[in-house]
Amino acid sequence: MQNGSSAIGTIDTDNAGQAVPTRETARYVGRFAPSPTGPLHFGSLVAAVASYLQARTHQGRWLLRIEDIDPPREQAGASETIVRALQHYGFEWDGEIILQSASAAAHEQALQQLLDRGHAYPCGCSRRQLADVPRGALGPIYPGTCRDGCDLDETAIRVRTDDQLIEFHDGLQGKHAQRLESESGDFVIRRRDGLIAYQLAVVVNDHLEGITEVVRGIDLIDSTPRQIWLQRLLGYPTPRYVHIPVVTHENGDKLSKLTGAPGIPWDNAPAMLVSALRALQQGPPTELATSALPEIWDWAMQNWSLDSMRAMTAIQYTDCLDINPLDSLA
Ligand SMILES: [Zn+2]
């Protein structure tokens, strides 16, 4: 295991190159993939801890991928802040940090493959034209207006869907299924501004990096059938998925930069890490919060279990922190 102290901006081709069918790639490969839109908050710490423990307890590799392909949403310096916070909390990733932007050629290649095979098409519909389409649980359902052609120059690219049931068995949430054509419609894989959409980029990178299991927040579970659809069209294997509960504010809103979640503190990493384990229903003993980080990680590795989170969808932020034993010492 290499220590994750390497500079951002380099790519280890052993990690990022095409997966080759060796024993090495048959091993568990997990990842944590934050977007550099702000500092790491408690919700993202919890997701990082879950994916890290799941990889390490499967003797797997754990990769760190910074999803830096949406510059309008990014915050200057956020990548460095996230990396420093992860180091400070004692995470050790394998290989170099992967910048998703470095895979731009692979994203374009996948896009072109979908276009060439007739799986994708340009869509010039304006936001206004789409304002009146029916909405489903996932948002507006694209009615397929441009399926048979679109003359405009500035277009998004959508992938064609059909109405077969796309079903997967989530490691925590059980069976999950969608019919894409009626529930989301053909969805955008390249935005009108030219940026590759999240759904396509994440599928290409998970494949390039040989990810065997994706552990992430349940807020992304509804994206998974779209990602499986893209994997099938591109001929990629589908990894296993484990969607953990999201951490919410008291009002039920997901902790995020948008809802004003603060960055995780630098001055009390052990107590925060224990709070994250509490959020993940691991039942850490109260005295663990006064231990050093390596001991906390040791305890976490020895006791890691997904079972106690089964079918849970949300964890309230204050429930994890209120019983923080250090509160009473403050
Ligand atoms: Zn259209």
Side-chain angles (χ1 to χ4, degrees), residues 121-125 130 142 145-146 158:
Y121 60 87
C123 163
C125 294
L130 294 174
Y142 184 68
T145 320
C146 302
R158 288 182 186 270

Side-chain angles (χ1 to χ4, degrees), residues 87-90 269-271 273 291-298:
Q87 284 172 331
H88 185 73
Y89 275 71
L273 182 55
S291 304
L293 284 173
E295 291 168 53
I296 300 173
W297 281 120
D298 279 350

Side-chain angles (χ1 to χ4, degrees), residues 23 62 80 100 117 171 174 177 190 206 234 270 327-328:
R23 271 183 71 197
W62 187 70
E80 290 74 12
Q100 194 171 33
R117 295 183 185 174
R190 196 199 70 192
D206 283 342
L234 290 163
D327 283 350
S328 57

Side-chain angles (χ1 to χ4, degrees), residues 3-290:
N3 187 284
S5 59
S6 24
I8 299 183
T10 47
I11 291 284
D12 184 334
T13 46
D14 288 334
N15 299 332
Q18 278 288 346
V20 276
T22 63
R23 271 183 71 197
E24 179 67 16
T25 52
R27 264 178 71 185
Y28 185 108
V29 185
R31 44 75 158 184
F32 177 56
S35 301
T37 53
L40 207 67
H41 56 72
F42 186 69
S44 33
L45 174 68
V46 166
V49 169
S51 65
Y52 187 58
L53 291 173
Q54 183 73 354
R56 290 292 184 244
T57 55
H58 285 81
Q59 288 72 51
R61 310 181 75 226
W62 187 70
L63 310 184
L64 175 57
R65 177 205 305 153
I66 306 282
E67 297 201 330
D68 61 339
I69 54 156
D70 193 352
R73 285 183 60 232
E74 286 159 22
Q75 193 184 79
S79 296
E80 290 74 12
T81 308
I82 290 169
V83 169
R84 279 209 312 272
L86 291 171
Q87 284 172 331
H88 185 73
Y89 275 71
F91 290 90
E92 292 177 336
W93 49 89
D94 292 296
E96 303 292 334
I97 296 164
I98 298 159
L99 291 184
Q100 194 171 33
S101 57
S103 307
H107 300 156
E108 287 300 329
Q109 200 179 8
L111 180 77
Q112 199 54 50
Q113 184 182 331
L114 293 170
L115 283 166
D116 290 348
R117 295 183 185 174
H119 295 310
Y121 60 87
C123 163
C125 294
S126 65
R127 205 164 280 190
R128 209 161 141 210
Q129 273 171 287
L130 294 174
D132 296 330
V133 306
R135 292 185 70 88
L138 308 178
I141 301 167
Y142 184 68
T145 320
C146 302
R147 270 188 170 180
D148 299 322
C150 166
D151 302 331
L152 297 173
D153 289 335
E154 268 197 16
T155 63
I157 306 283
R158 288 182 186 270
V159 68
R160 226 176 269 278
T161 56
D162 69 20
D163 228 17
Q164 64 174 289
L165 191 69
I166 302 202
E167 191 175 75
F168 68 99
H169 190 88
D170 187 86
L172 267 180
Q173 310 298 335
K175 206 157 79 174
H176 194 84
Q178 269 171 20
R179 293 186 191 277
L180 292 178
E181 191 174 18
S182 49
E183 293 186 56
S184 79
D186 300 347
F187 56 94
V188 171
I189 51 175
R190 196 199 70 192
R191 294 171 6 190
R192 187 193 287 261
D193 61 10
L195 294 175
I196 295 290
Y198 161 76
Q199 306 291 1
L200 179 59
V202 75
V203 159
V204 170
N205 278 91
D206 283 342
H207 179 62
L208 284 176
E209 292 142 27
I211 303 299
T212 62
E213 184 173 82
V214 174
V215 179
R216 60 184 179 190
I218 200 173
D219 52 317
L220 287 165
I221 199 168
D222 282 334
S223 287
T224 307
R226 277 172 281 179
Q227 293 172 16
I228 292 172
W229 180 242
L230 290 174
Q231 287 155 2
R232 290 180 186 171
L233 294 178
L234 290 163
Y236 300 165
T238 291
R240 293 184 302 276
Y241 288 95
V242 175
H243 287 89
I244 63 163
V246 289
V247 181
T248 66
H249 294 278
E250 279 174 299
N251 66 3
D253 289 346
K254 184 201 164 199
L255 235 59
S256 74
K257 189 193 164 204
L258 288 176
T259 59
I264 49 173
W266 295 90
D267 57 351
N268 207 345
M272 277 311 272
L273 182 55
V274 170
S275 295
L277 294 170
R278 190 162 284 130
L280 291 163
Q281 312 299 307
Q282 301 301 299
T286 46
E287 64 274 17
L288 195 62
T290 55

